[in-house]
């Protein structure tokens, strides 16, 4: 067994043994060292964003003092959901290794497929989301750029 996946499994067991959430644990590795750890704490924190990957990303960012985790690899017990995948991309994590896939995860009662359906079906996405007051928000964006000393990206 891979030593870092073993550490992700230990994180998952830590969470389920404490009753903090589902069987999801993660570690983030850079230069052969673990820089972040996390396990699912959705139940403990009453917060649906506290997935194992999210907790490991938060921990790694705190530990390295940056939101940029370039050069790192994430090991996780379950295939990342769309929210976690988004965070992985925002954090610049370069590689992800996962144990169980989304089909395996659905078989134990988790519903990741719903999120893939909404994001890939334009009608379902439109039923959930709608653009509102775009022009006012674009003023905000221009103000942001001006405060950064830029006029465009």
């Amino acid at each position: 067994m891979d030593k870092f996946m073993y550490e992700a499994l230990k994180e998952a067991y830590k969470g389920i043994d404490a009753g903090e959430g589902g069987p999801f644990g993660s570690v983030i590795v850079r230069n052969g060292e673990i820089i972040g750890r996390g396990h699912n704490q959705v139940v403990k924190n009453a917060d649906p964003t506290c997935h194992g990957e999210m907790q490991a990303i938060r921990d790694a960012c705190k530990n390295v003092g940056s939101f940029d985790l370039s050069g790192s690899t994430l090991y996780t017990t379950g295939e990342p959901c769309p929210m976690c995948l988004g965070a992985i991309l925002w954090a610049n994590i370069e590689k992800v290794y996962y144990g169980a896939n989304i089909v395996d995860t659905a078989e134990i009662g988790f519903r990741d497929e719903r999120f893939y359906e909404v994001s890939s079906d334009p009608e379902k996405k439109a039923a959930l989301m709608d653009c509102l007051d775009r022009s006012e928000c674009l003023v905000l964006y221009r103000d942001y750029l001006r405060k950064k000393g830029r006029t465009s990206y």
Side-chain angles (χ1 to χ4, degrees):
M1 164 172 272
D2 181 88
K3 69 180 180 178
F4 296 123
M5 185 59 79
Y6 177 73
E7 292 297 320
L9 283 163
K10 282 178 25 181
E11 276 297 317
Y13 277 110
K14 181 178 173 181
I16 61 171
D17 289 346
E20 295 179 342
F24 307 105
S26 302
V27 296
I28 298 174
V29 177
R30 183 189 282 164
N31 298 324
E33 300 292 324
I34 295 175
I35 60 170
R37 296 173 174 274
H39 57 269
N40 187 290
Q41 294 182 311
V42 168
V43 173
K44 175 187 177 192
N45 295 330
D47 181 342
T49 69
C50 290
H51 291 193
E53 297 93 337
M54 301 294 284
Q55 299 298 81
I57 290 168
R58 290 175 179 125
D59 187 50
C61 289
K62 181 185 76 178
N63 291 336
V64 302
S66 175
F67 58 84
D68 186 354
L69 300 178
S70 292
S72 64
T73 301
L74 184 137
Y75 295 79
T76 186
T77 58
E79 185 174 352
C81 73
M83 175 185 68
C84 293
L85 181 56
I88 289 163
L89 294 171
W90 279 114
N92 297 313
I93 293 171
E94 294 179 7
K95 181 72 178 175
V96 176
Y97 292 102
Y98 62 88
N101 62 40
I102 60 169
V103 174
D104 302 324
T105 303
E107 289 178 359
I108 63 167
F110 291 86
R111 55 192 172 92
D112 291 10
E113 72 280 347
R114 175 174 182 246
F115 303 97
Y116 291 105
E117 289 171 11
V118 170
S119 64
S120 64
D121 183 328
E123 288 182 20
K124 289 181 181 177
K125 186 175 180 181
L128 176 66
M129 299 173 32
D130 202 356
C131 189
L132 179 66
D133 294 328
R134 181 172 180 253
S135 60
E136 289 81 0
C137 293
L138 290 176
V139 170
L140 168 70
Y141 281 21
R142 285 191 295 275
D143 289 345
Y144 168 78
L145 287 175
R146 190 180 74 251
K147 289 180 186 218
K148 296 292 232 177
R150 300 191 314 242
T151 56
S152 65
Y153 287 106

